[in-house]
Amino acid sequence: MDLDDETLQDIEDSLVTSALQSHDWDKAVARIATATDARGVVAIPLKGRVPGLPMSASLDALADGYFRGGWSKNDYRVRGVPKLLRTGLFVDQDYATPDAMRSEPFYADYLHSHGFQWSAGLMVQAGDDAWVMMMQRTIQQGPYTLDDQIALRRLIAPLNRAAQLAHSLGEARLTGIADALETVRSPSLLLDRTGRVLRASSSAERLFGPDLNVRMGELVIPSDAQATARLRAHVAAALWSDPQDVSLSRAPVVVRRVAKRPLTLRAQPLRKAGLEYFDGCRAILTITDLNESGDLDADVLKTSYGLTPREAELCHTLLAGHSTGECADRLGMSIHTTRTHLKKIFVKTDTGSQTELMIVLSRHFGL
């Protein structure tokens, strides 16, 4: 393994490019894997979890079972975290004996079943968050030697510079989204990957009080513990791509109020790729005040954007808080047809994602 100055600069340039353009992430991690003689690379958060992981495509099968199989809660490598925090680097030999690698389920039942065994982890910090960048080797490739570890230490600084850049860019995107929500006067909150509130629009803050509030960073319904529990489940379902109970968790959460019509809460995920995982914001939660909201004017949509009646119906259903799959079911369309309509809507409304489309459609509410 040879991490010379030219290779390190090439890796950092690749990471910077992927921070600016997330679709270049695959090239960046492929470059790291090649330089470190790894089969693949994956970033794992040290605090909490994320839906999916920024990683090499070569590790897809391995990563699929990491959460589904419960191995994220039984990762033997956590024994190396104290050394990682002290030195910025750990390898299997720091915490796992040969006997442990033969007998511990994480190695024997999980890694070995996919042909993997050896790894090295590098500390990556982005703002207040911390990750470990894991270089994963197969059984045949063997462990990271002392010389390998000396070389790997040279990669810590470029990785952290790129992560900080990604985090700073994410803060700028976060501000842009928050400003857009203020412009359309939509009561909304931006949430991080743990469901905590990062920003709340001024129109959302005006709704805070005995019926809805933020406590210790979490949106809660003070007078209704069961509704708060439903809200937690709903937010978790929005953050995670495969919730255990889709039909219940993805339904809007209703907040009952005395002498007023209810509030309805709906969280929408912000999909991430590559270094975008380091930028913090993971979902938008919108609040609809049924005392104030009007109906979406389909005729205005048709006239303003040239939408067909079917496309206008799809916009109305999306804005009601339904997922693409739910829209397909409600409108009696296949998921393929629904996605085709959605792509045409993006073009006509000059938007590039469902999040941007929701902001545009919000302008047609009487808020």
Side-chain angles (χ1 to χ4, degrees):
M1 185 173 67
D2 185 17
L3 284 171
D4 57 23
D5 291 344
E6 183 178 351
T7 300
L8 288 169
Q9 187 60 56
D10 184 37
I11 289 173
E12 185 165 2
D13 290 345
S14 297
L15 287 168
V16 169
T17 300
S18 71
L20 297 170
Q21 304 176 66
S22 60
H23 59 268
D24 282 329
W25 166 253
D26 289 343
K27 296 178 184 176
V29 291
R31 187 72 187 89
I32 295 172
T34 299
T36 59
D37 296 333
R39 178 58 58 87
V41 178
V42 58
I44 301 174
L46 291 181
K47 298 182 291 183
R49 304 188 300 166
V50 295
L53 291 171
M55 64 181 176
S56 306
S58 57
L59 298 182
D60 282 349
L62 183 67
D64 183 59
Y66 189 69
F67 291 119
R68 291 178 186 271
W71 295 111
S72 62
K73 298 177 181 178
N74 296 283
D75 192 332
Y76 195 82
R77 297 171 300 190
V78 297
R79 289 162 174 76
V81 170
K83 183 180 181 186
L84 179 74
L85 297 176
R86 289 195 312 272
T87 68
L89 167 71
F90 72 69
V91 294
D92 297 277
Q93 305 93 293
D94 292 328
Y95 51 84
T97 65
D99 283 343
M101 288 191 175
R102 285 190 293 270
S103 61
E104 283 295 332
F106 182 80
Y107 285 100
D109 298 336
Y110 172 55
L111 289 182
H112 289 181
S113 66
H114 293 280
F116 289 95
Q117 175 168 338
W118 307 100
S119 58
L122 298 178
M123 181 80 168
V124 181
Q125 292 182 294
D128 295 329
D129 212 352
W131 297 64
V132 54
M133 187 72 77
M134 300 292 297
M135 275 65 68
Q136 194 70 55
R137 283 181 172 178
T138 64
I139 298 171
Q140 292 76 19
Q141 285 177 300
Y144 282 91
T145 66
L146 289 175
D147 287 341
D148 289 340
Q149 294 171 50
I150 292 171
L152 281 175
R153 290 185 185 282
R154 304 194 67 210
L155 191 53
I156 295 174
L159 280 175
N160 278 273
R161 285 194 293 266
Q164 289 294 345
L165 172 62
H167 179 75
S168 298
L169 291 172
E171 286 291 309
R173 283 194 293 267
L174 179 64
T175 299
I177 295 171
D179 288 346
L181 293 173
E182 288 290 352
T183 300
V184 300
R185 292 174 295 158
S186 174
S188 307
L189 300 94
L190 301 179
L191 310 178
D192 69 13
R193 62 183 172 83
T194 67
R196 301 287 174 173
V197 176
L198 292 170
R199 304 275 182 91
S201 68
S202 57
S203 53
E205 290 177 341
R206 285 195 289 271
L207 295 172
F208 291 167
D211 301 308
L212 187 69
N213 221 318
V214 176
R215 291 180 179 170
M216 299 181 68
E218 181 186 23
L219 187 65
V220 297
I221 302 160
S223 61
D224 192 338
Q226 290 185 339
T228 296
R230 287 195 297 272
L231 178 57
R232 287 190 185 117
H234 174 74
V235 169
L239 293 170
W240 290 83
S241 58
D242 187 23
Q244 293 182 347
D245 190 344
V246 177
S247 59
L248 175 63
S249 298
R250 293 309 301 270
V253 176
V254 177
V255 180
R256 307 290 178 187
R257 297 187 291 177
V258 177
K260 289 183 181 180
R261 297 175 69 190
L263 302 173
T264 61
L265 313 181
R266 165 72 75 166
Q268 298 281 355
L270 293 174
R271 297 302 180 197
K272 302 291 183 177
L275 289 182
E276 286 181 348
Y277 276 83
F278 297 154
D279 70 10
C281 186
R282 296 308 303 256
I284 295 178
L285 186 143
T286 55
I287 306 171
T288 300
D289 185 346
L290 297 182
N291 269 357
E292 302 292 337
S293 62
D295 293 326
L296 185 64
D297 192 331
D299 289 334
V300 171
L301 287 179
K302 295 173 191 175
T303 303
S304 299
Y305 302 107
L307 301 186
T308 67
R310 203 59 164 162
E311 289 166 353
E313 281 186 294
L314 177 54
C315 286
H316 192 288
T317 310
L318 284 169
L319 198 56
H322 300 291
S323 68
T324 306
E326 291 168 342
C327 289
D329 291 339
R330 285 175 172 269
L331 299 177
M333 299 188 294
S334 70
I335 190 67
H336 175 73
T337 300
T338 303
R339 287 172 176 161
T340 299
H341 281 313
L342 190 55
K343 289 177 182 177
K344 292 178 180 178
I345 293 169
F346 287 163
V347 173
K348 292 179 179 180
T349 58
D350 193 26
T351 55
S353 67
Q354 281 187 230
T355 300
E356 291 181 28
L357 178 62
M358 291 302 99
I359 292 173
V360 169
L361 295 181
S362 295
R363 296 176 183 146
H364 298 280
F365 268 90
L367 298 178

